Coordinates of all heavy atoms in Angstrom, one line a residue:
M78 N -4.3 20.3 -13.1 CA -5.1 20.0 -11.9 C -4.7 21.0 -10.8 O -3.6 21.1 -10.4 CB -4.8 18.6 -11.5 CG -5.7 18.1 -10.5 SD -5.4 16.4 -10.0 CE -6.6 15.5 -11.1
S79 N -5.7 21.6 -10.3 CA -5.5 22.6 -9.2 C -5.2 21.9 -7.9 O -5.5 20.7 -7.7 CB -6.7 23.6 -9.1 OG -7.8 22.9 -8.6
L80 N -4.7 22.7 -7.0 CA -4.4 22.2 -5.6 C -5.7 21.7 -4.9 O -5.7 20.7 -4.2 CB -3.7 23.3 -4.8 CG -3.2 22.8 -3.5 CD1 -2.2 21.7 -3.6 CD2 -2.5 24.0 -2.8
E81 N -6.7 22.5 -5.1 CA -8.0 22.1 -4.4 C -8.6 20.8 -5.0 O -9.1 20.0 -4.2 CB -9.0 23.2 -4.7 CG -10.3 23.1 -3.8 CD -11.2 24.3 -3.9 OE1 -10.6 25.4 -3.8 OE2 -12.4 24.1 -4.0
S82 N -8.5 20.6 -6.2 CA -9.0 19.3 -6.8 C -8.1 18.2 -6.4 O -8.6 17.1 -6.2 CB -9.1 19.4 -8.3 OG -7.8 19.6 -8.9
Q83 N -6.8 18.4 -6.2 CA -5.9 17.3 -5.7 C -6.3 17.0 -4.3 O -6.2 15.8 -3.9 CB -4.5 17.8 -5.8 CG -3.9 17.8 -7.2 CD -2.5 18.3 -7.3 OE1 -2.0 18.8 -6.3 NE2 -1.9 18.1 -8.4
F84 N -6.6 18.0 -3.5 CA -7.0 17.8 -2.1 C -8.2 17.0 -2.0 O -8.3 16.0 -1.2 CB -7.1 19.2 -1.4 CG -7.6 19.0 0.0 CD1 -6.6 18.7 1.0 CD2 -8.9 19.1 0.4 CE1 -7.0 18.6 2.3 CE2 -9.3 19.0 1.7 CZ -8.3 18.7 2.7
F85 N -9.3 17.3 -2.8 CA -10.5 16.5 -2.8 C -10.3 15.1 -3.2 O -10.9 14.2 -2.7 CB -11.6 17.2 -3.7 CG -12.2 18.4 -3.0 CD1 -12.2 19.6 -3.6 CD2 -12.7 18.3 -1.7 CE1 -12.8 20.7 -3.0 CE2 -13.3 19.4 -1.1 CZ -13.3 20.6 -1.8
L86 N -9.4 14.9 -4.2 CA -9.1 13.6 -4.7 C -8.4 12.7 -3.6 O -8.8 11.6 -3.3 CB -8.2 13.6 -5.9 CG -7.8 12.3 -6.5 CD1 -9.1 11.6 -7.1 CD2 -6.8 12.5 -7.6
L87 N -7.5 13.4 -2.9 CA -6.8 12.7 -1.8 C -7.8 12.4 -0.6 O -7.8 11.4 0.0 CB -5.7 13.6 -1.2 CG -4.9 13.1 -0.1 CD1 -4.1 11.8 -0.5 CD2 -3.9 14.1 0.4
M88 N -8.7 13.4 -0.4 CA -9.7 13.1 0.7 C -10.7 12.0 0.4 O -11.2 11.4 1.4 CB -10.4 14.4 1.0 CG -9.6 15.5 1.6 SD -8.6 15.0 3.0 CE -9.9 15.0 4.3
K89 N -10.9 11.7 -0.8 CA -11.8 10.6 -1.2 C -11.2 9.3 -0.7 O -11.9 8.3 -0.4 CB -12.0 10.5 -2.7 CG -12.9 11.5 -3.2 CD -13.1 11.3 -4.7 CE -14.0 12.4 -5.3 NZ -14.2 12.2 -6.7
F90 N -9.8 9.2 -0.6 CA -9.2 8.0 -0.1 C -8.8 8.1 1.4 O -8.9 7.1 2.1 CB -7.9 7.8 -0.9 CG -8.1 7.5 -2.3 CD1 -7.7 8.5 -3.3 CD2 -8.7 6.3 -2.8 CE1 -8.0 8.3 -4.6 CE2 -8.9 6.1 -4.1 CZ -8.6 7.1 -5.0
V91 N -8.6 9.3 1.9 CA -8.2 9.4 3.3 C -9.4 9.3 4.2 O -9.2 8.6 5.3 CB -7.4 10.7 3.5 CG1 -7.2 11.0 4.9 CG2 -6.1 10.7 2.7
V92 N -10.5 9.9 3.9 CA -11.6 9.9 4.9 C -12.1 8.5 5.1 O -12.4 8.1 6.3 CB -12.7 10.8 4.3 CG1 -14.0 10.6 5.1 CG2 -12.3 12.3 4.4
P93 N -12.3 7.6 4.1 CA -12.7 6.2 4.4 C -11.7 5.5 5.2 O -12.1 4.7 6.1 CB -12.9 5.6 3.0 CG -13.1 6.7 2.1 CD -12.4 7.9 2.7
L94 N -10.4 5.7 5.0 CA -9.4 5.1 5.8 C -9.5 5.5 7.3 O -9.4 4.7 8.2 CB -8.0 5.3 5.3 CG -7.7 4.6 4.0 CD1 -6.3 5.0 3.5 CD2 -7.8 3.1 4.2
Y95 N -9.7 6.8 7.5 CA -9.8 7.3 8.9 C -11.1 6.7 9.5 O -11.0 6.4 10.7 CB -9.9 8.9 8.9 CG -8.6 9.5 9.0 CD1 -7.9 10.1 8.0 CD2 -7.9 9.5 10.3 CE1 -6.7 10.7 8.1 CE2 -6.7 10.2 10.4 CZ -6.1 10.7 9.3 OH -4.9 11.3 9.5
L96 N -12.2 6.7 8.8 CA -13.4 6.1 9.4 C -13.2 4.6 9.7 O -13.7 4.2 10.8 CB -14.6 6.4 8.4 CG -15.0 7.8 8.3 CD1 -16.1 7.9 7.2 CD2 -15.5 8.3 9.6
L97 N -12.6 3.9 8.8 CA -12.4 2.5 9.1 C -11.5 2.3 10.3 O -11.7 1.5 11.2 CB -11.7 1.8 7.8 CG -11.4 0.3 8.0 CD1 -12.6 -0.5 8.2 CD2 -10.6 -0.1 6.8
A98 N -10.4 3.1 10.4 CA -9.5 3.0 11.6 C -10.3 3.3 12.8 O -10.1 2.7 13.8 CB -8.3 3.9 11.3
F99 N -11.1 4.4 12.7 CA -11.8 4.8 13.9 C -12.8 3.7 14.4 O -13.0 3.5 15.6 CB -12.6 6.1 13.6 CG -13.0 6.8 14.9 CD1 -12.1 7.6 15.6 CD2 -14.3 6.7 15.3 CE1 -12.5 8.2 16.7 CE2 -14.8 7.4 16.4 CZ -13.9 8.1 17.2
V100 N -13.5 3.0 13.5 CA -14.4 1.9 13.8 C -13.6 0.8 14.4 O -14.1 0.2 15.4 CB -15.2 1.5 12.6 CG1 -15.9 0.1 12.8 CG2 -16.1 2.5 12.1
I101 N -12.5 0.5 13.9 CA -11.7 -0.6 14.4 C -11.2 -0.3 15.8 O -11.2 -1.1 16.8 CB -10.5 -1.0 13.5 CG1 -11.0 -1.6 12.2 CG2 -9.5 -1.9 14.2 CD1 -10.0 -1.8 11.1
Y102 N -10.7 1.0 16.0 CA -10.3 1.4 17.4 C -11.5 1.4 18.4 O -11.3 1.1 19.5 CB -9.7 2.8 17.3 CG -8.4 2.9 16.5 CD1 -8.1 4.1 15.8 CD2 -7.5 1.9 16.5 CE1 -6.9 4.2 15.1 CE2 -6.3 2.0 15.8 CZ -6.0 3.2 15.1 OH -4.9 3.3 14.4
A103 N -12.6 1.8 17.9 CA -13.8 1.8 18.8 C -14.2 0.4 19.2 O -14.5 0.2 20.4 CB -15.0 2.5 18.1
I104 N -14.1 -0.5 18.3 CA -14.4 -1.9 18.7 C -13.4 -2.4 19.7 O -13.7 -3.1 20.7 CB -14.4 -2.8 17.4 CG1 -15.6 -2.5 16.5 CG2 -14.4 -4.3 17.8 CD1 -15.6 -3.1 15.1
R105 N -12.1 -2.1 19.5 CA -11.1 -2.5 20.4 C -11.3 -1.8 21.8 O -11.0 -2.4 22.8 CB -9.7 -2.2 19.9 CG -8.5 -2.5 20.8 CD -8.5 -3.9 21.3 NE -8.4 -4.9 20.2 CZ -8.6 -6.2 20.3 NH1 -8.9 -6.7 21.5 NH2 -8.5 -7.0 19.3
A106 N -11.7 -0.6 21.8 CA -11.9 0.2 23.0 C -13.1 -0.4 23.8 O -13.0 -0.5 25.0 CB -12.2 1.6 22.8
F107 N -14.1 -0.9 23.1 CA -15.2 -1.5 23.9 C -15.1 -2.9 24.2 O -15.6 -3.4 25.2 CB -16.5 -1.3 23.1 CG -17.0 0.1 23.0 CD1 -17.1 0.8 21.8 CD2 -17.3 0.8 24.1 CE1 -17.5 2.1 21.7 CE2 -17.7 2.1 24.1 CZ -17.8 2.8 22.9
K108 N -14.4 -3.7 23.4 CA -14.2 -5.1 23.6 C -12.8 -5.5 24.0 O -12.5 -6.7 24.1 CB -14.6 -5.9 22.3 CG -16.0 -5.8 22.0 CD -16.3 -6.5 20.7 CE -16.0 -7.9 20.8 NZ -16.4 -8.7 19.6
G109 N -11.9 -4.6 24.3 CA -10.6 -4.9 24.6 C -10.4 -5.8 25.8 O -11.0 -5.7 26.8
P110 N -9.6 -6.9 25.6 CA -9.5 -7.9 26.7 C -8.8 -7.3 27.9 O -9.0 -7.7 29.0 CB -8.7 -9.0 26.0 CG -8.0 -8.4 24.9 CD -8.9 -7.3 24.4
T111 N -7.9 -6.4 27.7 CA -7.1 -5.8 28.8 C -7.3 -4.3 28.8 O -7.6 -3.7 27.8 CB -5.6 -6.2 28.7 OG1 -5.1 -5.6 27.6 CG2 -5.4 -7.7 28.7
I112 N -6.9 -3.7 30.0 CA -6.9 -2.3 30.1 C -5.9 -1.6 29.2 O -6.2 -0.5 28.7 CB -6.8 -1.8 31.6 CG1 -7.1 -0.3 31.7 CG2 -5.4 -2.1 32.0 CD1 -8.5 0.0 31.6
V113 N -4.8 -2.2 28.9 CA -3.8 -1.7 28.0 C -4.3 -1.6 26.6 O -4.1 -0.6 25.9 CB -2.5 -2.5 28.1 CG1 -1.5 -2.0 27.1 CG2 -2.0 -2.6 29.5
D114 N -5.1 -2.6 26.1 CA -5.7 -2.5 24.8 C -6.7 -1.4 24.7 O -6.7 -0.7 23.7 CB -6.4 -3.8 24.5 CG -5.5 -5.0 24.3 OD1 -4.3 -4.7 23.8 OD2 -5.8 -6.1 24.5
I115 N -7.5 -1.2 25.7 CA -8.5 -0.1 25.7 C -7.8 1.3 25.7 O -8.1 2.2 25.0 CB -9.4 -0.2 27.0 CG1 -10.2 -1.5 26.9 CG2 -10.3 1.0 27.1 CD1 -11.0 -1.9 28.1
I116 N -6.7 1.4 26.5 CA -6.0 2.7 26.5 C -5.3 3.0 25.2 O -5.4 4.1 24.7 CB -4.9 2.6 27.7 CG1 -5.6 2.6 29.0 CG2 -4.0 3.8 27.6 CD1 -4.7 2.3 30.2
L117 N -4.7 1.9 24.6 CA -4.1 2.1 23.3 C -5.1 2.5 22.2 O -4.9 3.4 21.4 CB -3.4 0.9 22.9 CG -2.6 0.9 21.6 CD1 -1.5 1.9 21.7 CD2 -2.0 -0.4 21.3
A118 N -6.3 1.9 22.3 CA -7.4 2.2 21.3 C -7.8 3.7 21.5 O -8.0 4.4 20.5 CB -8.5 1.3 21.4
V119 N -8.1 4.1 22.7 CA -8.5 5.5 22.9 C -7.4 6.5 22.5 O -7.7 7.5 21.9 CB -8.9 5.7 24.4 CG1 -9.1 7.1 24.7 CG2 -10.1 4.9 24.7
D120 N -6.2 6.1 22.8 CA -5.0 6.9 22.4 C -4.9 7.1 20.9 O -4.8 8.2 20.3 CB -3.8 6.3 23.0 CG -2.5 7.2 22.8 OD1 -2.7 8.4 23.0 OD2 -1.5 6.7 22.4
C121 N -5.1 6.0 20.2 CA -5.0 6.0 18.7 C -6.2 6.8 18.1 O -6.0 7.6 17.2 CB -5.1 4.6 18.1 SG -3.5 3.7 18.4
M122 N -7.4 6.7 18.7 CA -8.5 7.5 18.3 C -8.3 9.0 18.5 O -8.6 9.8 17.6 CB -9.8 7.1 19.0 CG -10.4 5.8 18.6 SD -12.1 5.4 19.2 CE -11.9 5.4 20.9
S123 N -7.7 9.3 19.6 CA -7.4 10.7 19.9 C -6.4 11.3 18.9 O -6.6 12.4 18.3 CB -6.9 10.9 21.3 OG -7.8 10.5 22.2
F124 N -5.3 10.6 18.6 CA -4.3 11.1 17.7 C -4.9 11.1 16.2 O -4.5 12.0 15.5 CB -3.1 10.3 17.8 CG -2.2 10.6 19.0 CD1 -1.9 9.6 19.9 CD2 -1.8 11.9 19.2 CE1 -1.1 10.0 21.0 CE2 -1.0 12.2 20.2 CZ -0.7 11.3 21.2
D125 N -5.7 10.1 15.9 CA -6.3 10.2 14.5 C -7.2 11.4 14.4 O -7.2 12.0 13.3 CB -7.1 8.9 14.2 CG -6.2 7.8 13.7 OD1 -5.0 8.0 13.6 OD2 -6.7 6.7 13.5
I126 N -8.0 11.7 15.4 CA -8.9 12.8 15.3 C -8.1 14.1 15.2 O -8.4 15.0 14.5 CB -9.9 12.8 16.5 CG1 -10.9 11.7 16.4 CG2 -10.6 14.2 16.6 CD1 -11.7 11.5 17.6
A127 N -7.0 14.2 16.0 CA -6.1 15.4 16.0 C -5.5 15.6 14.6 O -5.4 16.7 14.1 CB -5.1 15.3 17.1
A128 N -5.1 14.5 14.0 CA -4.4 14.6 12.7 C -5.5 15.0 11.6 O -5.2 15.8 10.8 CB -3.8 13.2 12.3
F129 N -6.7 14.4 11.7 CA -7.7 14.8 10.8 C -8.1 16.3 11.0 O -8.4 17.0 10.0 CB -8.9 13.9 11.0 CG -9.9 14.0 9.9 CD1 -9.6 13.6 8.6 CD2 -11.2 14.5 10.1 CE1 -10.5 13.7 7.6 CE2 -12.1 14.6 9.1 CZ -11.8 14.2 7.8
M130 N -8.2 16.7 12.2 CA -8.5 18.1 12.5 C -7.4 19.0 11.9 O -7.7 20.1 11.3 CB -8.6 18.4 14.0 CG -9.9 17.9 14.6 SD -9.9 18.1 16.3 CE -9.9 19.9 16.5
A131 N -6.1 18.6 11.9 CA -5.0 19.4 11.3 C -5.2 19.4 9.8 O -4.9 20.5 9.2 CB -3.7 18.8 11.7
I132 N -5.6 18.3 9.2 CA -5.8 18.3 7.8 C -6.9 19.3 7.4 O -6.8 20.0 6.4 CB -6.1 16.9 7.3 CG1 -4.8 16.0 7.4 CG2 -6.6 16.9 5.8 CD1 -5.1 14.5 7.2
L133 N -8.0 19.2 8.1 CA -9.1 20.1 7.9 C -8.7 21.6 8.1 O -9.2 22.5 7.4 CB -10.3 19.7 8.7 CG -11.1 18.5 8.3 CD1 -12.2 18.2 9.2 CD2 -11.6 18.6 6.9
A134 N -7.9 21.8 9.1 CA -7.5 23.2 9.4 C -6.6 23.8 8.3 O -6.8 25.0 7.9 CB -6.7 23.2 10.7
I135 N -5.9 22.9 7.6 CA -5.1 23.4 6.5 C -6.0 23.7 5.3 O -5.9 24.8 4.7 CB -4.0 22.4 6.1 CG1 -3.0 22.3 7.2 CG2 -3.4 22.7 4.8 CD1 -2.0 21.1 7.0
Y136 N -7.0 22.9 5.1 CA -7.9 23.1 4.0 C -8.8 24.3 4.3 O -8.9 25.2 3.4 CB -8.8 21.9 3.8 CG -9.9 22.1 2.8 CD1 -9.5 22.2 1.4 CD2 -11.2 22.3 3.1 CE1 -10.4 22.4 0.5 CE2 -12.1 22.5 2.1 CZ -11.8 22.6 0.8 OH -12.7 22.8 -0.1
F137 N -9.3 24.5 5.5 CA -10.2 25.6 5.7 C -9.5 26.9 6.2 O -10.1 27.9 6.4 CB -11.2 25.3 6.8 CG -12.3 24.3 6.4 CD1 -12.5 23.1 7.0 CD2 -13.1 24.6 5.3 CE1 -13.4 22.2 6.6 CE2 -14.0 23.7 4.8 CZ -14.2 22.5 5.5
K138 N -8.1 26.8 6.3 CA -7.3 27.9 6.8 C -7.8 28.4 8.1 O -8.0 29.7 8.3 CB -7.2 29.0 5.7 CG -6.6 28.5 4.4 CD -6.5 29.5 3.4 CE -5.9 29.0 2.2 NZ -6.7 29.2 1.0
S139 N -8.0 27.5 9.1 CA -8.6 27.9 10.4 C -7.6 27.7 11.5 O -7.1 26.6 11.7 CB -9.9 27.1 10.6 OG -10.3 27.3 11.9
V140 N -7.4 28.8 12.2 CA -6.4 28.7 13.3 C -7.1 27.9 14.5 O -6.4 27.2 15.3 CB -6.0 30.1 13.8 CG1 -5.2 30.1 15.0 CG2 -5.4 30.8 12.7
F141 N -8.4 28.0 14.6 CA -9.1 27.4 15.7 C -9.0 25.8 15.6 O -8.9 25.2 16.6 CB -10.6 27.8 15.8 CG -10.7 29.3 15.9 CD1 -11.2 30.1 14.9 CD2 -10.3 29.9 17.1 CE1 -11.3 31.5 15.1 CE2 -10.4 31.3 17.3 CZ -10.9 32.1 16.3
L142 N -9.1 25.3 14.4 CA -9.0 23.8 14.3 C -7.6 23.4 14.7 O -7.4 22.3 15.3 CB -9.3 23.4 12.9 CG -10.8 23.3 12.6 CD1 -11.0 23.0 11.1 CD2 -11.5 22.3 13.4
I143 N -6.6 24.1 14.3 CA -5.2 23.8 14.7 C -5.0 23.8 16.2 O -4.4 22.9 16.7 CB -4.2 24.7 14.0 CG1 -4.0 24.4 12.5 CG2 -2.8 24.6 14.6 CD1 -3.3 23.1 12.2
S144 N -5.5 24.8 16.8 CA -5.3 24.9 18.3 C -6.1 23.7 18.9 O -5.6 23.2 19.9 CB -5.8 26.2 18.8 OG -7.2 26.4 18.5
G145 N -7.3 23.4 18.4 CA -8.0 22.3 18.9 C -7.3 20.9 18.7 O -7.3 20.1 19.6
A146 N -6.6 20.8 17.6 CA -5.9 19.6 17.3 C -4.7 19.4 18.2 O -4.4 18.4 18.8 CB -5.4 19.5 15.9
I147 N -4.0 20.6 18.5 CA -2.9 20.6 19.4 C -3.3 20.2 20.8 O -2.7 19.4 21.5 CB -2.1 21.9 19.3 CG1 -1.4 22.1 18.0 CG2 -1.1 22.0 20.5 CD1 -0.9 23.4 17.7
I148 N -4.4 20.8 21.3 CA -4.9 20.5 22.6 C -5.3 19.0 22.7 O -5.0 18.4 23.7 CB -6.1 21.4 23.0 CG1 -5.5 22.9 23.1 CG2 -6.8 21.0 24.2 CD1 -6.6 23.9 23.2
L149 N -5.9 18.5 21.7 CA -6.4 17.1 21.8 C -5.1 16.2 21.8 O -5.1 15.2 22.5 CB -7.3 16.8 20.6 CG -7.8 15.4 20.5 CD1 -8.7 15.1 21.7 CD2 -8.6 15.2 19.2
A150 N -4.1 16.5 21.0 CA -2.9 15.7 21.0 C -2.2 15.7 22.3 O -1.7 14.7 22.8 CB -2.0 16.1 19.8
L151 N -2.1 16.9 22.9 CA -1.5 17.0 24.2 C -2.3 16.3 25.3 O -1.7 15.7 26.2 CB -1.3 18.5 24.6 CG -0.3 19.2 23.8 CD1 -0.3 20.7 24.2 CD2 1.1 18.6 24.0
W152 N -3.6 16.3 25.2 CA -4.5 15.6 26.1 C -4.2 14.1 26.0 O -4.1 13.4 27.1 CB -5.9 15.9 25.9 CG -6.9 15.2 26.8 CD1 -7.2 15.4 28.1 CD2 -7.5 14.0 26.4 NE1 -8.0 14.5 28.6 CE2 -8.3 13.6 27.6 CE3 -7.6 13.2 25.3 CZ2 -9.0 12.4 27.6 CZ3 -8.4 12.0 25.3 CH2 -9.1 11.7 26.4
A153 N -4.1 13.6 24.8 CA -3.8 12.2 24.6 C -2.5 11.8 25.2 O -2.3 10.7 25.8 CB -3.9 11.8 23.1
Y154 N -1.5 12.7 25.0 CA -0.1 12.4 25.5 C -0.2 12.4 27.1 O 0.4 11.5 27.7 CB 0.8 13.5 25.0 CG 2.2 13.3 25.5 CD1 3.0 12.2 25.1 CD2 2.8 14.2 26.5 CE1 4.3 12.0 25.6 CE2 4.0 14.0 27.0 CZ 4.8 12.9 26.5 OH 6.1 12.7 27.0
L155 N -0.9 13.4 27.6 CA -1.0 13.4 29.1 C -1.8 12.2 29.6 O -1.4 11.6 30.7 CB -1.8 14.7 29.5 CG -1.8 15.0 31.0 CD1 -0.4 15.3 31.4 CD2 -2.7 16.2 31.2
L156 N -2.7 11.7 28.9 CA -3.4 10.5 29.3 C -2.4 9.3 29.3 O -2.5 8.5 30.2 CB -4.6 10.2 28.3 CG -5.3 8.8 28.5 CD1 -6.2 8.9 29.7 CD2 -6.0 8.5 27.2
D157 N -1.6 9.2 28.3 CA -0.6 8.2 28.3 C 0.4 8.2 29.5 O 0.7 7.2 30.1 CB 0.3 8.3 27.0 CG -0.5 7.9 25.8 OD1 -1.6 7.3 25.9 OD2 0.0 8.3 24.7
I158 N 0.8 9.4 29.8 CA 1.7 9.6 31.0 C 1.0 9.1 32.3 O 1.6 8.4 33.1 CB 2.2 11.0 31.1 CG1 3.0 11.4 29.8 CG2 3.0 11.3 32.3 CD1 4.2 10.6 29.6
Y159 N -0.2 9.6 32.5 CA -0.9 9.3 33.8 C -1.2 7.8 33.8 O -1.0 7.2 34.9 CB -2.1 10.1 33.9 CG -1.9 11.5 34.5 CD1 -2.3 12.6 33.8 CD2 -1.3 11.6 35.7 CE1 -2.0 13.9 34.3 CE2 -1.0 12.9 36.2 CZ -1.4 14.0 35.5 OH -1.2 15.2 36.0
I160 N -1.6 7.2 32.8 CA -2.0 5.8 32.8 C -0.7 4.9 33.0 O -0.7 3.9 33.7 CB -2.7 5.4 31.5 CG1 -4.1 6.1 31.5 CG2 -2.9 3.9 31.5 CD1 -5.0 5.8 32.6
A161 N 0.4 5.3 32.3 CA 1.6 4.5 32.5 C 2.1 4.7 33.9 O 2.6 3.7 34.5 CB 2.7 5.1 31.5
K162 N 2.0 5.8 34.5 CA 2.5 6.0 35.9 C 1.6 5.2 36.8 O 2.0 4.5 37.8 CB 2.5 7.5 36.3 CG 3.0 7.7 37.7 CD 3.2 9.2 38.0 CE 3.8 9.3 39.3 NZ 4.1 10.7 39.7
H163 N 0.3 5.2 36.5 CA -0.7 4.4 37.4 C -0.4 2.9 37.2 O -0.4 2.1 38.2 CB -2.1 4.7 37.0 CG -3.1 3.8 37.7 ND1 -3.3 4.0 39.0 CD2 -3.8 2.8 37.3 CE1 -4.2 3.1 39.4 NE2 -4.6 2.4 38.4
L164 N -0.1 2.4 36.0 CA 0.1 1.0 35.8 C 1.5 0.6 36.5 O 1.6 -0.6 36.9 CB 0.1 0.6 34.3 CG -1.2 0.7 33.7 CD1 -1.1 0.5 32.2 CD2 -2.2 -0.3 34.3
V165 N 2.5 1.4 36.5 CA 3.7 1.1 37.1 C 3.7 1.2 38.6 O 4.2 0.3 39.3 CB 4.8 2.0 36.5 CG1 6.2 1.8 37.3 CG2 5.1 1.7 35.1
S166 N 3.2 2.3 39.2 CA 3.3 2.5 40.6 C 2.0 2.5 41.3 O 2.0 2.7 42.5 CB 4.1 3.9 40.9 OG 3.3 4.9 40.4
K167 N 0.9 2.3 40.6 CA -0.4 2.2 41.2 C -0.8 3.5 41.9 O -1.6 3.5 42.9 CB -0.6 1.0 42.2 CG -0.3 -0.3 41.6 CD -1.3 -0.6 40.6 CE -1.1 -2.0 40.0 NZ -1.5 -2.2 38.7
E168 N -0.3 4.6 41.5 CA -0.7 5.9 42.1 C -0.5 7.0 41.0 O 0.3 6.8 40.1 CB 0.2 6.3 43.3 CG 1.6 6.5 43.0 CD 2.4 6.9 44.2 OE1 2.1 6.4 45.3 OE2 3.3 7.7 44.1
V169 N -1.3 8.0 41.1 CA -1.2 9.1 40.2 C -1.0 10.4 41.0 O -1.9 10.7 41.8 CB -2.4 9.2 39.2 CG1 -2.3 10.5 38.4 CG2 -2.6 8.0 38.4
G170 N 0.0 11.1 40.9 CA 0.3 12.3 41.6 C 1.7 12.8 41.4 O 2.4 12.3 40.6
A171 N 2.0 13.8 42.1 CA 3.3 14.4 42.0 C 4.4 13.6 42.5 O 4.4 12.7 43.2 CB 3.3 15.8 42.6

């Protein structure tokens, strides 16, 4: 069994799981009872998309997808920092 056929076999199981997780996160983001639930759902969606982009970058051997995944992951981390600072001190700034 070649590496490419193993990748496609793995993706048959991974893609539906990513889609299911994304739908669950989207429901939580829209119906979240608290702002913390909404932030966590958006954060999880961002990291899942970044991880999926990294998987696709390996498959397509694309540097651009990797750089996009890194930027998205850093953006999600920055969102966490700013929201946490806002929730603790009610201000965002230096």
Side-chain angles (χ1 to χ4, degrees):
M78 186 178 269
S79 70
L80 185 61
E81 188 171 321
S82 63
Q83 288 178 347
F84 179 80
F85 283 126
L86 182 65
L87 180 66
M88 291 309 284
K89 284 183 184 180
F90 297 109
V91 171
V92 170
L94 288 176
Y95 269 105
L96 290 175
L97 178 66
F99 197 79
V100 168
I101 291 171
Y102 295 146
I104 291 170
R105 177 55 61 194
F107 289 120
K108 294 177 60 176
T111 65
I112 190 73
V113 177
D114 290 331
I115 294 169
I116 293 166
L117 183 62
V119 171
D120 188 44
C121 289
M122 285 192 300
S123 298
F124 283 121
D125 275 357
I126 292 171
F129 192 67
M130 284 175 66
I132 291 169
L133 288 177
I135 292 169
Y136 175 70
F137 290 123
K138 298 178 180 126
S139 172
V140 177
F141 300 112
L142 282 173
I143 285 288
S144 62
I147 291 170
I148 290 170
L149 182 61
L151 289 174
W152 176 81
Y154 180 70
L155 190 64
L156 173 75
D157 291 342
I158 298 298
Y159 277 122
I160 296 298
K162 186 171 182 179
H163 175 70
L164 290 175
V165 170
S166 65
K167 301 296 182 206
E168 66 179 36
V169 176

